Amino acid sequence: MNKLKEKAKELLSSGAVQVVVGYEEGTGGKIRPAFVSRPEDADKLLYNADCHHNLALYLYKHETKRIGKMAVVAPPFVLRSILILTTEFQLEEDSLVVLGVTPEEELIEFANFKEIETWVNQHPIGMKEKDREMLNRLNAMSRDERWQFWQNEFSKCIKCFACRGTCPMCSCFRCTVDYNAPQWISVGSHQLGNFDWHLMRAMHLAGRCSVCGQCGEACPMDIPVHLLSFQINEDIFKMFGSRAGLTLKKESLLSTWKSNDVENFIR
Amino acid sequence: MDQFEPKIVAFVCNWCTYAGADLTGTSRLKYAHNVRIIRFPCTGRIDFLLLQQAFAKGADGIIVSGCHPNDCHYTSGNFHARRRWMVFRQMLENMGVEAERIVFSWVSAAEGAKWADLVNETVESIKKLGPYHKYQDMAKSLEEWEVTHE
């Protein structure tokens, strides 16, 4: 990953960008997001398979935008997130320097977002074996078993909203769960409040998920919340033939429609 | 023991199904009285959170109905709604909710008889399924929480 460090140094010392958002080693050998604004600090940047944070989260926040032009270290799921955020008008096209990193830990430079679009279409990301297995298990269950499974999982929820806080797609200034007039989602972390929250969250992410799995990763209670998004992502692909984060076309799944959408349940 | 009479909430659009239900009445057609109709400007306005709320407040079944495709008063509200329901229904399945308790339909302003049939059939099918205890038990957690957090 020396290439990445060199590139970051070059960008910072030439003044092309004011900050590089990347990964560094944190306490206890864990990886954490890093904001590098001096060329001499670029040496702490790294990339490996443990880098799971979705850095697209920081690209549109006031706190980071204020620093100036940004470069971002972008594994495939960050690249997808950047495309989704662009189609949702959260990022301006070509407004940042994207330092793509492949799963093989190679650096790819993108001259513009159009090139990202081409690249992500040529390099599909598969699900982790562990997640694939869990989805198969869930699909093999009867509906009542699935209900019980999720009720058990949600009963652990403490409503810390880490899943929301870590997701770049949760870009609303004010989330539905924060409204109290009307109160859509009860604030308490009881059965109903937890269920409503997770159903609402998954619905609001349907068709917009970059499948990074960071929500499940962030959960302090180890609830596999990401599986809800992963599963609906697969279903949406079956129903509409599209996946989020593969296009720069401004056509979000649920804000567009086709007259020939095929369903089998409306009488 | 009285026979179980399901509570059904119907979310309908102002322009087609509400007028259709009105026609059922003016045509003197009798139909099951279990349904509570809530009128919306358009099916596109019917947020999935409203359906969650209906179940949480004790509904055993839900009807969602609006204009046929291409008949929307606002041109495309029902097309948007159709996509949303396709995704929402699948999401409910994935989470183990009994999605067949939500009946979706297109009922135009001229289909008074279809509305009567729709309600009757829905009531029959929900009677077979019985009360939605699972969801209602879950919803009780809110009441308990409210009592302890007064």
Side-chain angles (χ1 to χ4, degrees):
Chain A
M1 279 281 93
N2 285 330
K3 266 195 189 160
L4 173 65
K5 290 174 189 171
E6 276 163 34
K7 185 70 198 169
K9 248 180 234 176
E10 183 194 316
L11 285 169
L12 288 167
S13 46
S14 70
V17 301
Q18 274 71 54
V19 61
V20 178
V21 187
Y23 301 98
E24 66 177 343
E25 196 179 312
T27 48
K30 282 191 177 165
I31 304 291
R32 70 183 177 198
F35 298 84
V36 177
S37 47
R38 288 181 305 189
E40 57 268 34
D41 292 340
D43 281 328
K44 66 181 181 185
L45 287 174
L46 57 82
Y47 180 73
N48 58 40
D50 294 334
C51 295
H52 56 78
H53 297 91
N54 196 331
L55 301 178
L57 172 68
Y58 304 109
L59 304 180
Y60 57 87
K61 303 263 181 208
H62 289 306
E63 298 90 324
T64 39
K65 264 166 95 177
R66 216 170 38 194
I67 310 173
K69 190 158 175 173
M70 277 182 273
V72 62
V73 178
F77 54 83
V78 176
L79 294 175
R80 283 183 175 215
S81 305
I82 289 173
L83 293 188
I84 301 172
L85 288 168
T86 311
T87 60
E88 293 181 352
F89 305 93
Q90 299 300 319
L91 284 179
E92 249 174 82
E93 209 168 319
D94 305 335
S95 59
L96 41 102
V97 179
V98 180
L99 307 171
V101 279
T102 64
E104 295 79 32
E105 302 181 17
E106 274 164 40
L107 181 73
I108 358 159
E109 288 176 46
F110 296 104
N112 52 45
F113 283 15
K114 198 78 201 145
E115 284 184 18
I116 301 182
E117 191 186 11
T118 315
W119 192 88
V120 292
N121 277 289
Q122 288 161 351
H123 300 80
I125 11 179
M127 233 178 272
K128 279 186 198 138
E129 200 44 50
K130 189 178 64 172
D131 293 330
R132 169 69 59 198
E133 260 170 45
M134 276 298 283
L135 284 193
N136 289 343
R137 225 184 90 199
L138 277 165
N139 281 322
M141 284 181 191
S142 72
R143 196 170 50 187
D144 286 352
E145 286 169 341
R146 266 204 302 279
W147 170 266
Q148 207 45 56
F149 173 87
W150 284 114
Q151 288 293 311
N152 287 343
E153 291 296 336
F154 295 156
S155 69
K156 297 188 265 175
C157 181
I158 52 171
K159 283 235 180 110
C160 65
F161 302 126
C163 42
R164 177 185 70 179
T166 196
C167 179
M169 299 317 142
C170 282
S171 57
C172 298
F173 283 114
R174 203 169 169 205
C175 177
T176 307
V177 78
D178 297 329
Y179 279 88
N180 57 5
Q183 181 118 48
W184 289 109
I185 315 279
S186 175
V187 287
S189 55
H190 46 74
Q191 257 181 308
L192 180 71
N194 290 349
F195 179 85
D196 279 350
W197 157 243
H198 286 287
L199 176 52
M200 187 278 277
R201 198 188 78 85
M203 263 309 280
H204 283 173
L205 287 172
R208 315 169 51 235
C209 175
S210 65
V211 201
C212 67
Q214 179 55 28
C215 45
E217 201 77 53
C219 181
M221 308 309 284
D222 290 331
I223 304 170
V225 280
H226 59 292
L227 294 180
L228 290 173
S229 298
F230 283 19
Q231 181 58 49
I232 201 71
N233 208 53
E234 296 300 308
D235 298 325
I236 284 169
F237 183 69
K238 269 182 221 145
M239 285 191 275
F240 304 101
S242 65
R243 288 184 195 279
L246 295 177
T247 174
L248 277 169
K249 263 193 240 150
K250 296 186 167 46
E251 285 179 0
S252 193
L253 181 87
L254 290 181
S255 58
T256 51
W257 50 273
K258 287 209 169 84
S259 55
N260 57 356
D261 284 334
V262 184
E263 44 61 37
N264 56 4
F265 57 89
I266 304 183
R267 296 192 200 173
Chain B
M1 175 75 195
D2 293 334
Q3 208 203 342
F4 160 61
E5 289 295 342
K7 260 189 214 166
I8 312 251
V9 184
F11 296 94
V12 304
C13 95
N14 176 42
W15 303 100
C16 291
T17 307
Y18 193 84
D22 200 25
L23 180 64
T24 321
T26 50
S27 316
R28 304 271 181 242
L29 289 171
K30 273 202 168 176
Y31 63 98
H33 57 264
N34 306 54
V35 68
R36 282 87 164 152
I37 295 178
I38 305 177
R39 178 166 64 152
F40 282 79
C42 178
T43 33
R45 166 66 182 83
I46 305 169
D47 197 310
F48 63 87
L49 285 159
L50 293 160
L51 274 58
Q52 283 178 242
Q53 291 279 335
F55 274 139
K57 302 271 188 232
D60 300 299
I62 294 173
I63 294 174
V64 179
S65 181
C67 306
H68 286 265
N70 293 320
D71 281 355
C72 180
H73 186 77
Y74 310 99
T75 319
S76 61
N78 52 0
F79 286 124
H80 283 283
R82 180 165 67 182
R83 272 211 170 178
R84 185 184 316 138
W85 302 135
M86 286 167 78
V87 174
F88 186 58
R89 215 166 168 275
Q90 188 60 49
M91 183 71 81
L92 293 178
E93 282 290 333
N94 297 348
M95 290 174 79
V97 178
E98 295 172 19
E100 70 271 18
R101 285 178 185 272
I102 310 178
V103 175
F104 298 91
S105 180
W106 310 125
V107 174
S108 81
E111 293 175 318
K114 182 177 176 185
W115 173 253
D117 289 344
L118 176 73
V119 173
N120 287 335
E121 283 163 24
T122 307
V123 170
E124 274 318 303
S125 65
I126 301 293
K127 270 186 183 168
K128 273 186 204 130
L129 291 169
Y132 200 2
H133 283 314
K134 248 189 222 167
Y135 211 105
Q136 288 153 9
D137 288 347
M138 177 173 78
K140 273 184 203 143
S141 62
L142 173 62
E143 289 162 36
E144 286 158 18
W145 181 84
E146 277 172 346
V147 171
T148 49
H149 288 73
E150 271 294 288

